[in-house]
Amino acid sequence: MKNDFLLQIKELKASIDNKEILKGLNLEVKPGEIHAIMGPNGSGKSTLASVLTGREIATVTHGTVTFEGRNLLEMSPEERAREGIFLSFQYPIEIPGVSMVNFMKTAINEQRKHRGQDPLSASEFLRQMREKKELVEIDSALTNRSVNEGFSGGEKKKNEIFQMAMLEPRLALLDETDSGLDIDALRIVANGVNKIRRPDTSVIVITHYQRLLDYIVPDHVHVLYDGRIVRSAGPELALELEERGYDWIRKEAEVSAESWTTGQK
Amino acid sequence: MDYRPEVITRFSALYAASRDGFRKESPELLNRHREGAYSDFIRLGIPDRKNEAYRYTNLEKYLSHDYQGYYLPVEEDFREAEKFHCEVQDLDVWNMVLLNGFFPHGDKGLIMLPGGIWVGSLRAAVKQFPAMVEKHYNRYVDNETDGLVPLNTALASDGLFIYAPRNTVYTKPIQIVNLLHSEKDIFVQDRNLIVVEEGAQLNLLVCDHALSPQHFLTNTVTEVFVNRNARFEIVRVQNQHNNSAKLTHTFIHQERDSFASSNNITLHGGLVRNATWHLLEGENAETHSFGLFLADKHQHVASFVKIDHAAPHCNSTQLFKGVLDDNASGAFNGRIMVRQIAQGTNAYQSNNNILLSEEARMDTKPQLEIFADDVKCSHGATVGQLDENALFYLRSRGIDAREARLMLMFGFAHDVIQNIPIEALRDRIDTLVMQRLRGELSRCASCAIQCN
């Protein structure tokens, strides 16, 4: 049965190298919503991105993840992408010898094939490239090169958003997209995301800091700590975290974990 | 049991039987080198794995095969060969087809291309430019390492000759299509001589094809003289079937301020070994050696390179890559020699390989001998698998795993292909490589061979 949620994560537990990182995570995202997931280093933010995109380094041991009512965990990474999940990588990969044009053309046409559409004509493809390049203010010279090869940190992040613009995902995961960006690049990248978004595009912003959220304003902010979401609130939570840091969350979480353990006994 | 004595006996018998024919048919200028070369061959023998240059390459299967004969050209055969059309479209070249190492109508004299470059058979060159052939023939070969080189000098009766006189430039590349076609299993020995005089420029494309499914053994020696301020570029595309063995020995001799580049693209062939020797004899010369091979099933592809820096301020690069699947094996042996006089040398070497199966095997061996002190030398060799992170990155954009693997392999290979100077050819080779990676036959339309 279909429900209102685009993404529904229930009691998700996942391990990397037999170490449990996610310890029962719940999250529900409706179409068009922007969620921010914040948390200290090592809380499981990137593991969550890996699980959602199907990266094999993370093993799901418990729980369910559904995307539009379908079991996401059964899908291959490429299937998830074609269904409309997009990850902006924290560390985009350099792929020498594979041109941006060939890469994007292949990706777009795989997606179109999945939807039962014909491949884009060369001229239509180039037109879209041009249009999206302007949208995210990426230098034309970059898209004539090999994927990410020799790009600066900021250029790599812009390139992620450019790819997002080309693929028009239903759900975009921005994994630490702000890291390594100066304030101008941050603004360009964030504005790019806002321009690309359609009313029903959902976004999960994974970030350590609040500054990206000045531009991409979330509907919900969640704090991930030790593999669980320990607090959820509106955008004001991000400001509070910026001001007070994560220590108070840590303390609260430990207290509640203790009482939970005591309660169990 | 050592197979080699029997092969040496067979080659010796072939030499003995050919002597009379050579005396009558072959120019004295070539004949005068034969006896000495034959004794060099007997002295060096057939290289085995004790020979450092053949340590990882076993010739037994292909050399011990009983080839029925040594090919001599017959007019009818050329008619068959002339039907061959190269599939590379938009490739604006001057094209010539060689059959089993022979030029059609080889005795009719050399052809002069616009701009003044001469092309034809070595035999015709002996008549037309005897002094030049005498000056360069058999001067640049190495007769101390590999018995197969003097064997060629002893047995070869013809081959390709190109002469670019002083300051001549031919704007188009010269394409040589080397066809193998025979009803018998044959042993082909072609001998090529290329002379690029001062300030001249020559761009050569050599395509090797096998048109009939017979077993072929080809032992090719090519000598290239690149005079001062001259420029020589050669691209070889090797696309023979897996019953053929192709052994090439190319000796490039460079004078002052000259430029040379060699690029071997090996797509098919049972056993392929390309030995390229670059001698930098004059100051401020530049040389590049590139190689790419894609091998599967039981193919073996070996590259041997020697760059000899014998003069100051010369630059050299070597970039060799291999992709190996199934039970394929490969070898890279790259030597850089920097002589004491060669101060200010820059020499760079890189060899990278991808193994796609557990059974594939690659041996790589860089060797540097440096006797000068003002030298920049670097070398690196890798044997590995495809990058899992890159694979995931492509898949995360909706590209399926198989296609993503192909893209990565193609990207890996393109690194070598991008050094090909002619754009239409570069694109065509990109396509051939992609087809080869997809497991499709990357052959030209006229080739009747199933490369299995």
Side-chain angles (χ1 to χ4, degrees):
Chain A
M1 210 178 76
K2 241 187 141 156
N3 57 30
D4 292 345
F5 295 110
L6 180 66
L7 179 75
Q8 215 170 7
I9 304 175
K10 284 185 185 160
E11 286 303 316
L12 180 67
K13 295 183 183 176
S15 315
I16 291 181
D17 295 334
N18 291 320
K19 187 173 183 282
E20 189 164 79
I21 310 285
L22 299 180
K23 302 176 178 174
L25 185 142
N26 293 291
L27 182 70
E28 291 176 331
V29 179
K30 285 183 182 161
E33 284 182 344
I34 298 183
H35 289 244
I37 295 181
M38 304 182 72
N41 288 331
S43 57
K45 298 192 300 290
S46 285
T47 304
L48 178 61
S50 295
V51 168
L52 293 179
T53 49
R55 193 169 202 162
E56 278 156 15
I57 51 168
T59 314
V60 174
T61 55
H62 182 83
T64 58
V65 181
T66 53
F67 185 71
E68 293 197 294
R70 289 182 57 199
N71 181 357
L72 186 71
L73 301 177
E74 277 180 349
M75 300 182 202
S76 66
E78 51 269 36
E79 241 181 301
R80 299 177 196 210
R82 292 174 202 156
E83 285 290 330
I85 292 181
F86 179 89
L87 170 67
S88 167
F89 281 64
Q90 184 177 4
Y91 303 110
I93 313 291
E94 296 195 14
I95 311 181
V98 176
S99 72
M100 272 303 296
V101 171
N102 191 24
F103 168 48
M104 273 293 98
K105 199 191 283 170
T106 310
I108 293 262
N109 285 334
E110 292 266 3
Q111 192 186 52
R112 292 180 65 87
K113 194 165 80 189
H114 183 70
R115 295 178 185 157
Q117 297 166 315
D118 287 336
L120 278 186
S121 70
S123 61
E124 177 56 21
F125 172 75
L126 291 174
R127 193 192 61 74
Q128 284 196 17
M129 285 275 284
R130 214 164 32 238
E131 186 188 305
K132 302 296 160 73
K133 268 190 286 199
E134 279 168 27
L135 206 65
V136 299
E137 299 177 44
I138 189 169
D139 189 344
S140 263
L142 294 181
T143 53
N144 289 330
R145 301 228 299 255
S146 292
V147 179
N148 291 324
E149 196 185 25
F151 288 25
S152 71
E155 287 166 344
K156 282 180 183 165
K157 293 295 171 82
K158 264 193 215 174
N159 192 24
E160 294 294 288
I161 303 308
F162 167 68
Q163 293 170 41
M164 177 181 161
M166 291 295 289
L167 293 168
E168 299 183 335
R170 310 279 318 278
L171 172 68
L173 307 166
L174 309 182
D175 188 5
E176 307 271 359
T177 295
D178 51 338
S179 70
L181 291 186
D182 62 36
I183 196 71
D184 292 324
L186 181 76
R187 194 182 303 122
I188 292 172
V189 163
N191 287 341
V193 173
N194 289 330
K195 279 187 256 178
I196 296 161
R197 271 189 69 212
R198 292 179 173 177
D200 67 340
T201 310
S202 306
V203 181
I204 297 176
V205 183
I206 296 171
T207 181
H208 196 81
Y209 303 104
Q210 186 269 337
R211 60 177 195 157
L212 182 61
L213 305 178
D214 284 344
Y215 302 97
I216 304 174
V217 182
D219 303 300
H220 304 277
V221 175
H222 311 276
V223 179
L224 185 60
Y225 179 75
D226 194 24
R228 286 189 198 92
I229 286 178
V230 294
R231 184 177 275 250
S232 296
E236 70 284 354
L237 178 58
L239 293 167
E240 196 178 353
L241 287 169
E242 186 73 7
E243 212 168 285
R244 297 175 64 189
Y246 286 104
D247 270 356
W248 61 281
I249 292 282
R250 200 169 284 145
K251 277 177 198 137
E252 270 192 21
E254 274 153 19
V255 170
S256 75
E258 241 166 59
S259 60
W260 183 78
T261 323
T262 329
Q264 284 291 95
K265 278 177 188 168
Chain B
M1 212 184 79
D2 191 353
Y3 74 99
R4 295 178 304 151
E6 201 193 315
V7 175
I8 292 173
T9 308
R10 204 181 302 146
F11 285 152
S12 297
L14 183 61
Y15 179 63
S18 309
R19 263 189 190 140
D20 268 355
F22 287 144
R23 210 168 296 137
K24 279 182 227 145
E25 301 280 331
S26 175
E28 193 276 331
L29 221 157
L30 306 187
N31 288 348
R32 73 172 78 143
H33 295 275
R34 294 189 195 278
E35 278 301 319
Y38 176 69
S39 29
D40 283 338
F41 166 66
I42 293 299
R43 176 171 57 87
L44 294 168
I46 303 272
D48 69 350
R49 290 176 166 204
K50 285 190 204 104
N51 184 327
E52 203 54 51
Y54 281 84
R55 187 151 184 181
Y56 306 107
T57 300
N58 189 350
L59 300 175
E60 177 170 1
K61 182 181 161 199
Y62 294 92
L63 281 191
S64 58
H65 183 85
D66 190 10
Y67 297 94
Q68 288 169 41
Y70 177 53
Y71 180 82
L72 283 171
V74 187
E75 274 307 307
E76 294 100 77
D77 295 348
F78 283 109
R79 260 173 253 144
E80 188 66 30
E82 275 159 8
K83 289 185 205 152
F84 182 91
H85 290 290
C86 178
E87 236 195 9
V88 186
Q89 304 208 341
D90 312 318
L91 190 58
D92 189 13
V93 294
W94 183 84
N95 170 288
M96 178 51 81
V97 175
L98 263 70
L99 182 68
N100 303 331
F102 288 92
F103 228 85
H105 328 297
D107 290 330
K108 285 193 180 153
L110 301 171
I111 300 162
M112 192 178 80
L113 303 180
I117 291 176
W118 294 87
V119 184
S121 71
L122 185 60
R123 294 163 75 120
V126 170
K127 286 186 198 148
Q128 217 159 325
F129 297 105
M132 192 204 320
V133 175
E134 183 167 7
K135 187 176 164 201
H136 297 291
Y137 182 75
N138 208 29
R139 303 290 170 190
Y140 312 116
V141 291
D142 175 285
N143 282 323
E144 296 307 318
T145 310
D146 184 343
L148 296 172
V149 175
L151 179 69
N152 176 286
T153 311
L155 288 176
S157 57
D158 206 353
L160 171 71
F161 171 81
I162 303 179
Y163 167 45
R166 194 160 183 257
N167 292 332
T168 51
V169 177
Y170 184 53
T171 47
K172 296 180 192 179
I174 294 173
Q175 182 190 28
I176 302 298
V177 179
N178 257 325
L179 299 179
L180 292 174
H181 181 77
S182 168
E183 317 222 305
K184 296 182 197 160
D185 295 351
I186 54 167
F187 175 38
V188 173
Q189 300 252 23
D190 51 328
R191 178 59 171 250
N192 312 307
L193 177 63
I194 297 165
V195 177
V196 190
E197 284 294 4
E198 227 175 299
Q201 290 185 25
L202 185 65
N203 212 325
L204 189 61
L205 163 64
V206 179
C207 302
D208 293 323
H209 294 275
L211 293 188
S212 61
Q214 276 70 20
H215 290 255
F216 294 101
L217 170 64
T218 310
N219 183 40
T220 301
V221 171
T222 305
E223 290 178 277
V224 185
F225 176 76
V226 190
N227 209 343
R228 288 179 172 212
N229 206 29
R231 194 177 172 92
F232 170 71
E233 292 177 64
I234 180 169
V235 177
R236 277 203 185 90
V237 181
Q238 299 175 318
N239 211 359
Q240 300 184 342
H241 59 62
N242 291 356
N243 283 336
S244 83
K246 172 97 184 167
L247 309 168
T248 74
H249 317 269
T250 305
F251 299 89
I252 303 173
H253 177 109
Q254 289 182 245
E255 291 291 329
R256 189 183 175 124
D257 301 318
S258 65
F259 175 98
S261 157
S262 152
N263 201 332
N264 291 322
I265 310 282
T266 307
L267 299 174
H268 273 293
L271 182 144
V272 178
R273 182 179 185 276
N274 293 311
T276 317
W277 305 64
H278 302 245
L279 172 63
L280 297 161
E281 177 79 4
E283 275 185 55
N284 195 36
E286 182 178 339
T287 204
H288 302 277
S289 215
F290 302 109
L292 168 69
F293 71 89
L294 309 171
D296 59 4
K297 304 200 172 69
H298 285 88
Q299 281 180 267
H300 177 84
V301 181
S303 306
F304 171 92
V305 189
K306 180 166 181 188
I307 312 261
D308 187 347
H309 282 265
H313 304 292
C314 292
N315 296 324
S316 69
T317 59
Q318 299 171 53
L319 174 64
F320 284 79
K321 289 192 163 194
V323 180
L324 301 97
D325 200 356
D326 303 335
N327 294 287
S329 59
F332 173 77
N333 186 323
R335 299 183 185 176
I336 299 172
M337 155 77 94
V338 182
R339 295 176 190 265
Q340 201 172 358
I341 190 179
Q343 300 296 348
T345 288
N346 283 308
Y348 164 85
Q349 179 191 88
S350 171
N351 175 235
N352 309 107
N353 305 282
I354 291 180
L355 302 181
L356 299 174
S357 73
E358 296 273 320
E359 292 75 28
R361 181 188 168 88
M362 180 72 203
D363 291 286
T364 170
K365 190 170 189 198
Q367 283 175 289
L368 276 69
E369 290 174 87
I370 301 172
F371 299 100
D373 32 83
D374 177 18
V375 170
K376 276 189 203 138
C377 255
S378 70
H379 67 95
T382 59
V383 179
Q385 282 80 40
L386 291 175
D387 179 354
E388 285 298 323
N389 289 327
L391 203 55
F392 178 73
Y393 190 77
L394 295 176
R395 293 179 73 192
S396 81
R397 300 302 185 236
I399 299 170
D400 76 48
R402 186 186 132 81
E403 191 66 28
R405 272 194 195 95
L406 286 171
M407 285 177 86
L408 291 182
M409 284 189 267
F410 176 78
F412 177 81
H414 184 74
D415 203 22
V416 174
I417 300 168
Q418 68 181 358
N419 294 294
I420 294 173
I422 313 152
E423 194 187 349
L425 179 63
R426 200 164 54 228
D427 293 347
R428 173 62 183 163
I429 289 175
D430 272 345
T431 309
L432 287 174
V433 165
M434 198 47 164
Q435 286 175 343
R436 177 74 175 89
L437 289 171
R438 284 185 193 283
E440 294 163 11
L441 283 179
S442 57
R443 61 195 162 87
C444 296
S446 343
C447 172
I449 307 308
Q450 299 291 317
C451 294
N452 285 318

